[in-house]
C-alpha cells in the first residue's frame, strides 16, 4: 500500500483529501503544522508528500529545502499544495525542492493524476475522481 503524508493546517482540506485518498487505496498520515510534517516525513518516509506551503511553525518552503538536503529524506517526492498561483510561484516551489505543484482549490482528479505520475503507479479507482 502506498503511503502519503499530507502536511496541511486547514482541517477541511486534510479531511477531504485523506478520506478520498484512503478510498483510493492509499495509506494516509496527516501533519497539521510544519514541524510535525518534518518529523513525520523523517519517521514515515512516505511514498509521496502533499505539502501546503503556508504552514504554522515551519513553512513549506523550508520543509522542502530541509528534506531535500537530508540524505534520508531527499528521495521523498513532494507535491506543493498552495494558494499561491501567481506567476513564478510554481518555479519557486520547484526551486525549493518540490517535484510538482498543485494550486488550490484542489482538483482531486488532477491531483490524483499528479500523484500517480510522480510515483509511477496507477491505482484502481474505487470511486469516481
Amino acid at each position: 500500500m502506498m503511503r502519503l503524508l499530507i502536511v496541511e493546517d486547514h482541517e477541511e482540506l486534510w479531511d477531504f483529501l485523506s478520506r478520498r485518498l484512503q478510498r483510493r487505496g492509499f495509506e494516509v498520515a496527516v501533519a497539521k503544522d510544519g514541524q510535525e510534517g518534518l518529523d513525520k516525513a523523517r519517521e514515515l518516509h512516505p511514498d509521496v508528500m502533499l505539502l501546503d506551503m503556508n504552514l504554522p511553525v515551519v513553512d513549506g518552503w523550508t520543509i522542502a529545502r530541509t528534506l531535500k538536503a537530508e540524505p534520508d529524506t531527499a528521495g521523498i517526492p513532494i507535491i506543493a499544495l498552495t494558494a499561491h498561483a501567481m506567476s513564478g510561484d510554481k518555479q519557486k516551489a520547484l526551486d525549493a525542492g518540490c517535484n510538482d505543484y498543485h494550486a488550490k482549490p484542489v482538483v482531486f482528479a488532477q491531483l490524483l493524476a499528479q500523484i500517480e505520475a510522480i510515483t509511477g503507479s496507477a491505482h484502481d479507482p474505487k470511486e469516481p475522481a
Side-chain angles (χ1 to χ4, degrees):
M1 180 177 295
M2 189 169 299
R3 181 181 304 161
L4 274 83
L5 174 58
I6 300 170
V7 185
E8 171 62 57
D9 62 326
H10 293 293
E11 182 177 1
E12 302 84 22
L13 185 53
W14 61 253
D15 181 58
F16 164 77
L17 288 174
S18 63
R19 286 185 292 112
R20 296 281 309 262
L21 290 165
Q22 286 170 344
R23 283 191 287 239
R24 290 289 181 140
F26 294 95
E27 179 183 332
V28 178
V30 175
K32 299 169 189 153
D33 67 50
Q35 186 59 57
E36 184 182 8
L38 271 173
D39 295 343
K40 284 191 175 183
R42 290 170 174 150
E43 174 190 343
L44 301 174
H45 295 283
D47 296 298
V48 68
M49 175 187 272
L50 304 179
L51 178 63
D52 183 13
M53 302 312 279
N54 292 317
L55 292 164
V57 186
V58 179
D59 66 57
W61 318 105
T62 301
I63 292 169
R65 282 190 296 271
T66 300
L67 292 175
K68 293 303 179 172
E70 296 176 1
D72 288 345
T73 57
I76 297 172
I78 301 172
I79 298 175
L81 293 178
T82 183
H84 291 269
M86 302 296 288
S87 176
D89 287 333
K90 179 177 182 177
Q91 191 59 51
K92 182 179 175 186
L94 296 174
D95 290 346
C98 296
N99 301 81
D100 205 347
Y101 169 92
H102 189 93
K104 295 177 185 177
V106 171
V107 177
F108 186 75
Q110 179 185 349
L111 181 61
L112 187 61
Q114 287 175 278
I115 292 167
E116 291 173 349
I118 208 167
T119 61
S121 172
H123 281 75
D124 294 328
K126 294 181 180 178
E127 68 169 77

